[in-house]
């Protein structure tokens, strides 16, 4: 997004942090945390991504795993009052699945009672939104604790990364790495003999005696890894809220744009069935995501206290909490689909940064791999569902019955579960996708947008549904007509539906009553306006423009 450099976003982040106050209170109120992130995502996706890094990951690790050590307190206070920015460093750029086996080491020095962080090679370089300039930056760094030459498991360490002007001692930063779809500046981080005081080891109850004895009440290194990764639970619980908010704003803005934009015939774009079907479909996806967001928050509230039971998994994120991880995967995939549809059906306007759709898409796509890769989550979900049995659902005969799609989705999942085998990854992923479809179908209320969402899901998955025998050819042939008919029925209710699903806050020009005027007014103070002169040239008069004067 134009103008969303690190310094600009970081300044907004620190101002917001100073207002939000105590991290423990915010992280303990999941509904407030989700609402703050959703509002930030709608207003400025880059700020949302910085907020996740600062609060949900970095400060969450400090609050959850830190001790009451006098060495740690000023760092937490600086992060809470907006005097410093926080990031979470887990990914290592050179190897896939680095969450499973971090190679960054933190070796304990008995003489000074410090940990010495080292990056063994370039494969183990960390990556995050860190540059030398801007505010002082602290990193919650995931590394293997090594005590007397023994790997004691994966922990988090709070490390000085920059002082606002240069890298901290023992830290090396690359030049800024630009990622156009993710509007922040990023950097590679390397540690060389980077010393971290014992008090900034986020030990989570583990300790080292003066004689070198190491004790971790969690038990095994595998359990410690799951515990360290458990900071992701708050991420999974709140990402669906941000995805829902961005999707709702994108769908509502695109529908308003299409209502007011006319074709040469004088008809609005929405008078055309293909356009109306696509954008009403996007609105139905945003409606389903709203239900997914509520389900994720409910799952968080009722989750068992303490560490999740051990689970053999492709990804440690799923081993921590499978249901929240699946809701994260399902919501990000659907948000990408919704926002892509909106962008495509707004033409050039959908690609302009000022209309925010492109920013929403970048943020949604980022979280398909951040916080646990969706492909791995779906594989793990499929593997956990192998051989699952359950009562076969009764599928209503009427495609527009609110119970039709939930019944179809569940029946499809059960048939795949009966046939899938552990070694067939393609079928396991299909089973994981079917489980995700059942999960989303379960959050749909008796609402016409829920019915439309289900019909569109079935239409997209028609081949798979026929392959498992859940639907027959006649059912599939009936879907397009049922979808078109429902879209016709929903059209007179469009204003009420838009009002129901719109999100608070000022809309971008795309959703304004007069798009062109709103777009012009947005840049009213930054136009370059030329002075008009006339030059005689034969029998014609030419107009030349000077762009040397910028109106401010």
């Amino acid at each position: 997004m134009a103008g969303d450099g690190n310094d600009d976003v970081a300044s907004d982040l620190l101002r917001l942090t100073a207002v939000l106050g105590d991290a423990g209170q915010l992280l303990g109120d999941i509904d407030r945390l989700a609402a703050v992130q959703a509002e930030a995502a709608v207003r400025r996706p880059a700020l949302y991504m910085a907020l996740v890094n600062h609060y949900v990951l970095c400060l969450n690790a400090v609050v959850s795993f830190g001790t009451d050590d006098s060495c740690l307190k000023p760092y937490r206070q600086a992060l809470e009052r907006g005097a410093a920015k926080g990031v979470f460093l887990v990914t290592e750029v050179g190897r896939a699945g680095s969450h499973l086996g971090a190679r960054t080491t933190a070796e304990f020095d008995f003489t000074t009672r410090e940990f010495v962080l080292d990056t063994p090679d370039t494969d183990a370089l960390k990556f995050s939104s860190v540059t030398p300039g801007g505010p002082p930056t602290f990193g919650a760094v995931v590394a293997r604790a090594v005590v007397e030459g023994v790997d004691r498991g994966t922990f988090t360490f709070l490390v000085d990364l920059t002082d606002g002007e240069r890298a901290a001692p023992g830290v090396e930063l690359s030049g800024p790495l630009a990622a156009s779809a993710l509007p922040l500046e990023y950097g590679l981080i390397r540690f060389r003999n980077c010393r971290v005081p014992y008090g900034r080891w986020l030990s989570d109850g583990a300790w080292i005696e003066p004689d070198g004895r190491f004790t971790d009440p969690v038990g095994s290194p595998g359990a410690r890894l799951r515990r360290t990764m458990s900071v992701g639970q708050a991420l999974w619980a709140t990402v669906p809220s941000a995805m829902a908010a961005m999707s709702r704003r994108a769908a509502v803005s695109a529908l308003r744009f299409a209502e007011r934009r006319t074709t040469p015939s004088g008809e609005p774009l929405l008078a055309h069935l293909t356009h109306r079907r696509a954008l009403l479909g996007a609105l139905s996806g945003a409606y389903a995501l709203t239900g997914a967001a509520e389900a994720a928050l409910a799952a968080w509230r009722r989750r068992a206290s303490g560490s999740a039971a051990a689970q053999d998994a492709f990804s440690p994120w799923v081993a921590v909490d499978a249901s929240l991880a699946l809701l994260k995967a399902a919501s990000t995939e659907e948000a990408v689909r919704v926002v892509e549809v909106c962008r495509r059906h707004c033409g050039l306007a959908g690609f302009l940064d000022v209309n925010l759709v492109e920013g929403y898409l970048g943020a949604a796509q980022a979280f398909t791999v951040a916080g646990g890769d969706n492909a791995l989550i779906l594989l793990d979900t499929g593997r956990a569902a192998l051989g699952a049995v359950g009562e076969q659902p009764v599928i209503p005969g009427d495609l527009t019955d609110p119970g039709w799609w939930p019944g179809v989705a569940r029946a499809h999942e059960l048939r795949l579960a009966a046939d899938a085998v552990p070694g067939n990854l393609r079928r396991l992923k299909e089973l994981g996708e079917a489980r995700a479809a059942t999960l989303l179908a379960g959050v749909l209320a008796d609402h016409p947008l829920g019915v439309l969402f289900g019909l569109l899901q079935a239409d997209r998955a028609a081949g798979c549904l026929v392959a498992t025998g859940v639907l027959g050819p006649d059912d599939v042939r009936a879907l397009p007509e049922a979808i078109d008919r429902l879209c016709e029925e929903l059209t007179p209710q469009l204003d009420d539906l838009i009002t129901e699903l719109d999100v608070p806050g000022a809309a971008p020009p795309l959703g304004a009553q007069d798009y062109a005027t709103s777009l012009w007014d947005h840049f009213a103070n930054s136009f370059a306006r030329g002075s008009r002169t006339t030059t005689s040239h034969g029998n014609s008069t030419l107009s030349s423009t000077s762009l040397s004067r910028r109106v401010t």
Side-chain angles (χ1 to χ4, degrees):
M1 186 180 298
D4 269 343
N6 264 18
D7 292 350
D8 191 20
V9 174
S11 297
D12 286 349
L13 169 68
L14 298 185
R15 281 193 291 269
L16 177 59
T17 299
V19 173
L20 293 174
D22 183 83
Q25 292 182 5
L26 180 61
L27 291 165
D29 185 347
I30 197 66
D31 294 283
R32 181 178 174 228
L33 181 64
V36 168
Q37 291 183 76
E39 183 174 353
V42 166
R43 291 177 180 269
R44 194 176 188 187
L47 177 60
Y48 162 63
M49 297 173 74
L51 190 66
V52 166
N53 220 349
H54 182 90
Y55 258 105
V56 183
L57 296 175
C58 180
L59 258 172
N60 194 10
V62 173
V63 171
S64 300
F65 304 146
T67 64
D68 196 31
D69 193 283
S70 59
C71 178
L72 184 61
K73 281 184 178 179
Y75 283 82
R76 174 173 171 172
Q77 290 169 354
L79 289 167
E80 287 180 325
R81 68 171 183 262
K85 184 180 85 167
V87 295
F88 190 74
L89 303 184
V90 58
T91 300
E92 296 177 351
V93 299
R95 297 192 179 186
S98 57
H99 305 70
L100 288 170
R103 297 177 62 247
T104 302
T105 57
E107 188 161 4
F108 187 62
D109 183 335
F110 286 95
T111 304
T112 61
R113 288 193 69 79
E114 295 174 315
F115 286 90
V116 182
L117 268 66
D118 276 297
T119 303
D121 51 46
T122 53
D123 279 352
L125 293 170
K126 297 288 190 182
F127 171 85
S128 192
S129 175
V130 181
T131 55
T137 302
F138 308 146
V141 181
V142 174
R144 291 186 294 111
V146 178
V147 183
E148 291 190 310
V150 179
D151 184 347
R152 295 298 186 176
T154 304
F155 287 85
T156 311
F157 301 82
L158 192 64
V159 181
D160 287 282
L161 297 179
T162 77
D163 63 4
E165 295 181 359
R166 62 187 65 83
V171 178
E172 297 176 7
L173 300 177
S174 72
L177 299 175
S180 299
L182 310 176
L184 292 169
E185 288 180 345
Y186 299 87
L188 301 175
I189 303 99
R190 183 169 199 157
F191 301 104
R192 292 185 192 268
N193 195 35
C194 178
R195 292 188 167 266
V196 180
Y198 184 88
R200 285 196 269 130
W201 171 32
L202 306 182
S203 62
D204 187 35
W207 72 92
I208 302 172
E209 300 283 2
D211 63 4
R213 284 181 297 164
F214 175 90
T215 303
D216 185 358
V218 169
S220 68
R224 169 50 58 193
L225 175 62
R226 289 190 293 274
R227 177 67 178 162
T228 297
M229 292 295 102
S230 69
V231 293
Q233 288 179 310
L235 174 67
W236 309 321
T238 54
V239 159
S241 294
M243 296 299 116
M246 291 189 295
S247 297
R248 288 163 61 179
R249 172 52 57 86
V252 165
S253 295
L255 278 163
R256 284 176 169 158
F257 180 74
E259 273 188 313
R260 295 155 186 166
R261 190 170 179 83
T262 57
T263 63
S265 67
E267 291 183 314
L269 287 175
L270 276 186
H272 299 272
L273 179 60
T274 52
H275 212 86
R276 185 165 66 246
R277 173 173 165 163
L279 293 183
L280 280 172
L283 192 67
S284 76
Y287 167 80
L289 285 171
T290 302
E294 294 168 356
L297 295 176
W300 171 274
R301 287 190 288 267
R302 65 173 178 265
R303 79 196 192 289
S305 61
S307 298
Q311 177 179 329
D312 181 24
F314 290 107
S315 166
W317 306 92
V318 174
V320 172
D321 191 306
S323 64
L324 284 175
L326 185 57
L327 281 165
K328 173 264 181 191
S331 64
T332 52
E333 294 291 343
E334 180 61 21
V336 168
R337 191 196 65 77
V338 167
V339 179
E340 279 185 328
V341 167
C342 294
R343 184 183 65 173
R344 179 175 182 179
H345 286 80
C346 289
L348 172 64
F351 288 85
L352 296 180
D353 288 347
V354 69
N355 288 325
L356 296 175
V357 177
E358 189 75 4
Y360 296 159
L361 183 57
Q365 288 174 328
F367 281 102
T368 63
V369 291
D373 190 292
N374 286 358
L376 295 180
I377 291 172
L378 293 170
L379 282 170
D380 278 322
T381 300
R383 187 162 64 174
L386 277 173
V389 295
E391 185 177 348
Q392 286 292 329
V394 176
I395 301 175
D398 182 1
L399 274 61
T400 59
D401 187 302
W404 182 83
W405 172 241
V408 168
R410 178 59 174 161
H412 180 58
E413 177 195 347
L414 290 174
R415 296 193 186 186
L416 285 176
D419 295 336
V421 294
N424 190 328
L425 297 185
R426 180 181 62 82
R427 295 302 296 273
L428 287 180
K429 187 168 182 286
E430 286 179 359
L431 178 53
E433 291 167 344
R435 179 74 195 112
T438 300
L439 190 63
L440 282 183
V443 305
L444 302 174
D446 185 2
H447 192 289
L449 284 177
V451 174
L452 178 60
F453 176 78
L455 291 174
L456 288 166
Q457 291 285 92
D459 194 43
R460 283 191 288 271
C464 295
L465 296 171
V466 171
T468 54
V470 175
L471 294 184
D474 289 343
D475 299 314
V476 171
R477 279 192 286 267
L479 282 169
E481 184 179 345
I483 292 168
D484 291 346
R485 186 168 59 250
L486 184 54
C487 287
E488 292 287 354
E489 293 171 2
L490 287 173
T491 300
Q493 307 172 42
L494 189 56
D495 287 344
D496 290 339
L497 294 173
I498 285 176
T499 300
E500 179 184 347
L501 288 182
D502 200 3
V503 293
L510 188 67
Q513 182 71 31
D514 184 340
Y515 170 68
T517 299
S518 179
L519 188 64
W520 179 271
D521 290 345
H522 182 84
F523 295 102
N525 292 326
S526 60
F527 276 118
R529 296 180 180 175
S531 57
R532 186 177 181 86
T533 62
T534 57
T535 303
S536 177
H537 183 70
N539 294 325
S540 64
T541 300
L542 301 180
S543 174
S544 64
T545 303
S546 168
L547 298 181
S548 61
R549 180 171 59 91
R550 179 171 294 275
V551 178
T552 59

